[in-house]
Amino acid sequence: VDTFDDIAYGNNRYVAVGPNQSTIYSTNGLNWLPSGNTLTAVSDWNAIEYGTNNFVCLADGSDTGAYGTDGITWTAVTVPYANYKDIAFGSGTFVAVGSGVSNASYSLDDGKTWAASELGSSGNWSGVTFGNSTFIAIKDGSDTFVTSSNGVSWTAFQLPASGAWKRIVFGGNKFVITGSNTTVAYVSNDNGATWSAGTLPSTADWDKLVFSNNRFLAASSTSNVLASSADGIIWKARGN
């Protein structure tokens, strides 16, 4: 397997997950080792995050999750539903969202047991992140987003426009959202109360987004584009 869907850092290592039972890990980000197909076989492990002591990964198309300390040995668990798209950790709580449901899933014990919380509406919940003591989850094909202080009780709000919103991250004391078939990136400095529009360098499927070294980095899984921004508003195309 040469493609992986998500990556997390914790316990002095990076761990990446992908299709089937595929996981790899690295202590320096340069040299990678396979974990040996120790995950339960599912169609696609596509979301991973590190919490207090454990990596937790969830799958698209399965109600099986897994947790482990090192990215090599995993313990399988049952989660409330299938089709997970993203997972976040904050204030001792994992929160995960997925497509075709009206619920989020949350864990208060580092991924060992899970329960469902009501998001308020059904849809393709594509991204979730945590910052400033707040979880924010976004929906693909909608202007709806929801916020929560604990991952259990959620309040719905609206973005300035509907769109195929794919990813949300927190960094530099702000939330940033990117999506597909657009040049728009939304930025909030006040936990989602207001949003400003930034401009990405080209129309693309901006479905990959991270914050690292004081910069937001946006990329696409379907085209050869890469952009960076210090504030989420002004973006610069990068060589690739």
Side-chain angles (χ1 to χ4, degrees), residues 92-175:
T93 303
F94 281 99
V95 173
V97 297
S99 60
V101 294
S102 61
N103 298 319
S105 294
Y106 68 94
S107 173
L108 304 176
D109 56 6
D110 229 19
K112 298 174 183 177
T113 61
W114 292 81
S117 60
E118 178 60 47
L119 291 171
S121 61
S122 182
N124 295 322
W125 295 95
S126 55
V128 62
T129 195
F130 179 85
N132 280 345
S133 301
T134 302
F135 289 98
I136 297 183
I138 57 171
K139 188 189 292 190
D140 188 348
S142 174
D143 61 359
T144 298
F145 72 96
V146 291
T147 70
S148 175
S149 62
N150 56 16
V152 179
S153 301
W154 297 85
T155 302
F157 299 95
Q158 286 183 310
L159 292 168
S162 180
W165 307 117
K166 299 296 187 183
R167 282 291 177 262
I168 179 170
V169 302
F170 179 84
N173 204 38
K174 55 178 64 69
F175 292 89

Side-chain angles (χ1 to χ4, degrees), residues 4 16 21-26 31-38 71-72:
F4 291 86
Q21 296 166 280
S22 304
T23 60
I24 56 175
Y25 68 95
S26 172
N31 304 308
W32 293 82
L33 294 171
S35 300
N37 289 344
T38 52
I72 301 172

Side-chain angles (χ1 to χ4, degrees), residues 42-221:
V42 300
S43 60
D44 191 6
W45 292 96
N46 71 340
I48 186 170
E49 184 62 278
Y50 187 78
T52 303
N53 297 299
N54 286 334
F55 291 96
V56 172
C57 55
L58 298 171
D60 188 1
S62 173
D63 63 355
T64 298
Y67 66 90
T69 60
D70 57 8
I72 301 172
T73 303
W74 299 92
T75 300
V77 295
T78 299
V79 290
Y81 59 87
N83 301 325
Y84 288 95
K85 301 300 182 185
D86 202 9
I87 183 172
F89 179 82
S91 295
T93 303
F94 281 99
V95 173
V97 297
S99 60
V101 294
S102 61
N103 298 319
S105 294
Y106 68 94
S107 173
L108 304 176
D109 56 6
D110 229 19
K112 298 174 183 177
T113 61
W114 292 81
S117 60
E118 178 60 47
L119 291 171
S121 61
S122 182
N124 295 322
W125 295 95
S126 55
V128 62
T129 195
F130 179 85
N132 280 345
S133 301
T134 302
F135 289 98
I136 297 183
I138 57 171
K139 188 189 292 190
D140 188 348
S142 174
D143 61 359
T144 298
F145 72 96
V146 291
T147 70
S148 175
S149 62
N150 56 16
V152 179
S153 301
W154 297 85
T155 302
F157 299 95
Q158 286 183 310
L159 292 168
S162 180
W165 307 117
K166 299 296 187 183
R167 282 291 177 262
I168 179 170
V169 302
F170 179 84
N173 204 38
K174 55 178 64 69
F175 292 89
V176 173
I177 296 171
T178 59
S180 291
N181 194 32
T182 184
T183 60
V184 174
Y186 280 128
V187 181
S188 177
N189 299 301
D190 51 14
N191 287 9
T194 60
W195 296 87
S196 301
T199 303
L200 288 153
S202 62
T203 298
D205 294 329
W206 299 102
D207 57 355
K208 304 296 181 183
L209 181 66
V210 298
F211 182 79
S212 179
N213 291 330
N214 298 315
R215 286 191 175 273
F216 296 95
L217 298 173
S220 171
S221 63

